[in-house]
Amino acid sequence: MTNNSIPITDDSEDRNSKPDTNWREYFSFSTDHKVIGVQYMVTTFIFFLIGGLLAMIIRGELLTPESDLVDRSLYNGLFTLHGTVMIFLWIIPFNAGLANYLVPLMIGAKDMAFPVLNAIAFWIIPPAGILLLSSFLVQGGPAQAGWWSYPPISLQNPTGYPINGESIWILSVMLLGISSIMGGVNFITTIVWMRAPGMTFFRMPIFVWTVLSAQLLQLICLPSLTGAIVLLFFDLTFGTNFFKPLENGDPIIYQHLFWFYSHPAVYVMALPAFGIFSEILPAFSRNPLFGYRSVAIASFGIGLVSIFVWVHHMFASATPNWMRILFMVSSMLVGVPTGVKVFAWTATVWNGRLHLLTPMLFALGGVLMFVFGGITGIMLSSVPFDIHVNNTYFVVGHFHYVVHNTITMAIFAAIYFWFPKITGRMYGEGWGKVHFFLTFIGANLTFFPMHPLGLQGMVRRVSSYDPQFQGWNIIASLGGFLLGISTLPFIANMVGSLLLGKKVSDNPWHATGLEWKTSSPPPRENFEAIPVVNEPPYHYNSKAIPEAAATQE
């Protein structure tokens, strides 16, 4: 199919020449944004497997009401590291890796603005992750205060050693924060200053808009978390009293500093997922993205409003009533720009010629489960309801419907969608669908039961519970084991397709993004000549279908 929606000036024969990236480069200090992107994605997927293994041990413990699988202190360490790994070593850095690979291609740039800084930002992550996991080896085991590390619980040091699980947690998160700040500076500079001629802001793909919004949030809010954990480290190690309630410290201040970043961090994770949906749904419905400008502006609206909602995590923390009302309203307000996106996605697929290939299935499944997670999020923004279910499994269920059932589903959709671009080969469609159905069923079996459990009063962060809750917990645990199993066909599919997959054309989906106008995989500097853009994105011909769909039909 010939598509002239984004014409470029280079010669097509030169443009389709294949790069000769040596596999050894992926284990080196490369400054190529594409190599760095793959390094991010593969490394963080390994941490995802580790975090998932920790989750399966947790669900194994919760199969029975008694605490009979692991020691209680180890259980606390398991759920602390599970949350930390999944947020700081899986979703946030994987999104950075995907953006690393795609953003320069999508805006017509040769590389990121600061290639060396880009490489340093990645190479901070492996030692930070290894440092975090090494806390299993120290006296007393890993941190046990949850991924939020609230004082005064996080200030307990029964071992008496200056280096303990909590201090290791703090140092690891600090290193990961430094990496994120480096990435934020790089992404914002690249998007603002390195767009190709004609690539105005309102000709950028929505994925680029969401990356820009997410990285602005990183730079604005991340210093708050960094400051909080530095002060926590001083209290823990040097005897200061910033957060010690018995020494006139104020642990509530820590909660404010922590959540000022950590609620926007949900949108740092979610916004790129929204961008992924906005790229995949038009491609597989063969319709232009409905309301492109509104979706672009909504990306910034979500980021802006999310800065002013952090106190809804603290409705039960002696928060004054005036503050509860203010942040209840601001939390509900996030639903407005988010609703704009959901409406646009619905309108995009409406009357489209849908091709239910693996990327589309993961995208549709992610959107569907995001709607459910968004509804429970609006429920939790209401002060009376939030206080009723505070510290229960309802909150855990809501959080995982957003973080796993939406964002991780979007990540898998992105992997399948851009796999041909990254590798030049096609994945196995049958195994991709097996992966989707196992993941979708397992995700709902795992996290839906947490909502009735929470409404019935089961508190979170416990390894033993009232026997009346066992039925729902058995279902959730079986779902968790199914989620673990679901990664096996994915890994086999990716490895097998990388080695033996069918070679594909440069644009097997007939997509209109600029990244599809170069070879698969792209050459070292992406384009033989700088592309010139004179049309907005998402100009799809409803009669054109992806090659993979054509072979199946």
Side-chain angles (χ1 to χ4, degrees), residues 211-531:
V211 170
L212 179 59
S213 179
Q215 296 305 319
L216 284 170
L217 280 177
Q218 288 276 54
L219 292 190
I220 293 169
C221 301
L222 186 52
S224 173
L225 173 64
T226 304
I229 61 176
V230 167
L231 297 180
L232 189 68
F233 186 77
F234 280 17
D235 277 8
L236 185 67
T237 308
F238 301 117
T240 56
N241 301 312
F242 294 107
F243 305 128
K244 296 177 181 177
L246 299 180
E247 304 292 340
N248 294 321
D250 191 349
I252 301 298
I253 295 298
Y254 175 88
Q255 294 186 31
H256 280 284
L257 293 172
F258 179 86
W259 287 115
F260 184 77
Y261 167 72
S262 294
H263 187 80
V266 174
Y267 297 100
V268 171
M269 296 184 281
L271 279 164
F274 299 162
I276 292 166
F277 295 150
S278 299
E279 300 300 321
I280 292 176
L281 294 178
F284 290 94
S285 63
R286 314 314 299 171
N287 273 338
L289 180 66
F290 183 88
Y292 163 80
R293 285 183 175 244
S294 298
V295 176
I297 294 170
S299 300
F300 262 64
I302 291 171
L304 179 63
V305 178
S306 71
I307 298 174
F308 303 100
V309 303
W310 79 91
V311 176
H312 77 238
H313 292 277
M314 302 169 55
F315 284 159
S317 299
T319 305
N321 284 332
W322 68 266
M323 190 177 288
R324 287 174 169 176
I325 299 301
L326 174 63
F327 281 90
M328 178 177 70
V329 173
S330 65
S331 298
M332 291 181 175
L333 192 61
V334 177
V336 176
T338 306
V340 169
K341 284 182 175 285
V342 173
F343 180 83
W345 297 330
T346 305
T348 299
V349 301
W350 194 261
N351 284 335
R353 186 175 181 181
L354 302 186
H355 302 287
L356 298 179
L357 304 182
T358 303
M360 185 64 158
L361 290 174
F362 272 100
L364 290 174
V367 170
L368 179 64
M369 290 191 285
F370 171 68
V371 171
F372 182 81
I375 292 171
T376 58
I378 294 297
M379 294 167 67
L380 286 168
S381 68
S382 172
V383 174
F385 185 83
D386 182 87
I387 292 175
H388 175 67
V389 299
N390 177 66
N391 205 32
T392 72
Y393 262 90
F394 189 95
V395 180
V396 181
H398 156 73
F399 182 71
H400 282 82
Y401 258 85
V402 175
V403 174
H404 181 276
N405 293 12
T406 299
I407 301 171
T408 297
M409 292 284 283
I411 286 174
F412 283 129
I415 292 172
Y416 284 109
F417 185 59
W418 282 290
F419 183 85
K421 173 55 57 179
I422 296 171
T423 66
R425 297 179 182 272
M426 182 56 70
Y427 61 85
E429 181 63 35
W431 283 112
K433 289 181 177 177
V434 169
H435 176 216
F436 165 74
F437 285 111
L438 290 177
T439 304
F440 186 81
I441 295 169
N444 284 286
L445 285 177
T446 305
F447 302 119
F448 180 80
M450 296 180 182
H451 296 82
L453 283 172
L455 291 173
Q456 293 168 21
M458 180 175 172
V459 297
R460 54 182 172 170
R461 310 168 200 159
V462 294
S463 58
S464 58
Y465 53 87
D466 191 308
Q468 67 171 311
F469 302 131
Q470 186 176 12
W472 283 117
N473 272 295
I474 290 174
I475 295 173
S477 292
L478 293 177
F481 301 149
L482 184 60
L483 276 180
I485 294 171
S486 73
T487 61
L488 299 179
F490 170 74
I491 295 170
N493 196 358
M494 292 297 103
V495 174
S497 299
L498 180 63
L499 298 175
L500 304 172
K502 177 184 175 183
K503 293 184 178 181
V504 294
S505 65
D506 295 338
N507 187 2
W509 309 126
H510 295 294
T512 61
L514 196 59
E515 76 272 23
W516 298 103
K517 302 298 180 180
T518 187
S519 64
S520 298
R524 175 64 179 83
E525 293 188 343
N526 299 336
F527 304 93
E528 295 297 329
I530 299 296

Side-chain angles (χ1 to χ4, degrees), residues 132 135 138-144 163-170 236:
L132 180 67
S135 62
V138 301
Q139 184 73 23
Q144 300 180 29
I163 299 299
N164 56 38
E166 185 63 35
S167 62
I168 290 175
W169 181 91
I170 292 171
L236 185 67

